[in-house]
Amino acid sequence: MTTTELGTVLEFAGVTKAFGGNSVLTDVTLEVRPGFTGLIGPNGAGKTTCLNCVSGYLQPDSGEVRVAGQDVLGRSPAAVARLGVSRTFQTPRLIPNLTAVENVMVGGGRHHRQGHIAELFGLPGARRDEQEQREKARALLETFGLGEHPDRAANQFPIGSQKIVEVARALLNEPVLVLLDEPAAGLGAEDVDTLVEGLNGWLGEHPGAAVMIIEHDLELITRLCPTAAVLHFGRILLTGPPREVLRDPVVVEAYLGAEVAAGD
Ligand SMILES: Nc1ncnc2c1ncn2[C@@H]1O[C@H](COP(=O)(O)OP(=O)(O)OP(=O)(O)O)[C@@H](O)[C@H]1O
Ligand SMILES: [Mg+2]
């Protein structure tokens, strides 16, 4: 099956967003299909704001955002999550004294069949659900090379591994759309390889899912993503294969301009 036949998972149509009169997103139009899509651009370009407009943390001022054809505007983060959308945060948000496996299990709320009352009373169905989730969480940790110490407290892991645990958590729920905000930031080369292999392995088993990756690590984007969109001052400059996009003079200029500004 080609990706075109699988259709669009996430759609931005003319999205704008301003904070106190400062335009942060201007007429953002973008289609995200199954597989990996990169969202790149200099610091402050509006990448996280785009992600927040999908996940219900922010509401755009105008335009439309659809997930699998369903309008997400006006929905709370929990309601968007119920559509099958999961995300990670730019800084890891693990529960420090829970174990790695428990932190991954926190991602499992949407598919609990037995509900909270059954859980509260420790009914057999709830225990079975929990056991299934625990096994899935362990398998995901294995996929990401963290299978050795699933019961170690999350805060005992190096920061790179904590970020990978957070990615694993985002995948537990059989999401249709995964939004990763700088998953490789702070990761060493080995951890980046583990992340790439884990994500590739997971997507191989979930070919209908779409994963949008915001990253400054452009090599990771080139390795994983057939398509990347470049955001600059809140506008999409260009969308296409990463190698081509990154050679485009307009994109080179945007990145160089940002570097010069950062050096001022
Ligand atoms: N809640 C907010 N209130 C006011 N301004 C905000 C808010 N969130 C983001 N901004 C501003 O919007 C612009 C875009 O921010 P955003 O975090 O989306 O950029 P980014 O592309 O993710 O950058 P980075 O690569 O540094 O993470 C920035 O100028 C930022 O200061
Ligand atoms: Mg950001």
Side-chain angles (χ1 to χ4, degrees):
M1 214 184 310
T2 68
T3 49
T4 316
E5 284 163 344
L6 285 165
T8 302
V9 178
L10 168 65
E11 238 180 313
F12 285 79
V15 171
T16 63
K17 178 75 188 168
F19 292 110
N22 284 336
S23 251
V24 172
L25 298 179
T26 307
D27 195 21
V28 171
T29 294
L30 183 66
E31 279 191 8
V32 174
R33 295 180 180 280
F36 297 110
T37 299
L39 182 62
I40 61 178
N43 288 116
K47 304 179 296 295
T48 300
T49 303
C50 272
L51 192 157
N52 285 336
C53 285
V54 182
S55 61
Y57 283 77
L58 288 175
Q59 297 297 324
D61 300 328
S62 60
E64 286 173 40
V65 181
R66 285 183 287 271
V67 172
Q70 302 212 58
D71 198 341
V72 300
L73 299 193
R75 294 186 202 238
S76 67
V80 175
R82 283 194 293 274
L83 292 177
V85 179
S86 66
R87 68 170 295 177
T88 62
F89 292 88
Q90 209 162 330
T91 41
R93 292 193 180 181
L94 296 181
I95 303 167
N97 48 1
L98 289 188
T99 67
V101 82
E102 286 164 347
N103 266 286
V104 177
M105 288 168 73
V106 171
R110 187 167 70 103
H111 284 335
H112 269 211
R113 288 188 298 269
Q114 301 296 329
H116 294 301
I117 301 293
E119 240 166 75
L120 211 58
F121 289 105
L123 297 179
R127 279 203 297 273
R128 206 165 46 239
D129 261 10
E130 190 190 315
Q131 196 49 36
E132 273 175 27
Q133 294 291 88
R134 189 173 290 274
E135 274 158 28
K136 272 180 73 179
R138 274 181 196 273
L140 269 171
L141 286 174
E142 296 262 350
T143 305
F144 283 93
L146 291 169
E148 252 179 70
H149 305 291
D151 299 317
R152 186 179 281 178
N155 58 5
Q156 303 293 307
F157 286 88
I159 187 78
S161 303
Q162 291 187 34
K163 291 205 69 164
I164 293 178
V165 170
E166 206 188 5
V167 172
R169 172 164 73 196
L171 303 178
L172 187 80
N173 244 348
E174 312 287 331
V176 293
L177 174 65
V178 184
L179 306 165
L180 304 178
D181 199 351
E182 299 195 27
L187 262 57
E190 235 175 80
D191 281 337
V192 173
D193 287 345
T194 305
L195 179 69
V196 166
E197 282 164 25
L199 284 171
N200 265 325
W202 182 83
L203 192 76
E205 290 169 12
H206 301 82
V211 183
M212 188 170 88
I213 309 178
I214 293 175
E215 243 324 318
H216 287 290
D217 181 342
L218 299 176
E219 198 196 320
L220 177 141
I221 293 291
T222 305
R223 282 167 76 183
L224 270 180
C225 305
T227 305
V230 186
L231 199 65
H232 185 43
F233 289 125
R235 291 176 189 270
I236 300 285
L237 278 187
L238 200 63
T239 303
R243 277 181 214 285
E244 285 174 27
V245 156
L246 290 168
R247 270 202 305 263
D248 191 281
V250 176
V251 174
V252 171
E253 175 76 26
Y255 271 96
L256 285 180
E259 254 174 52
V260 171
D264 282 348

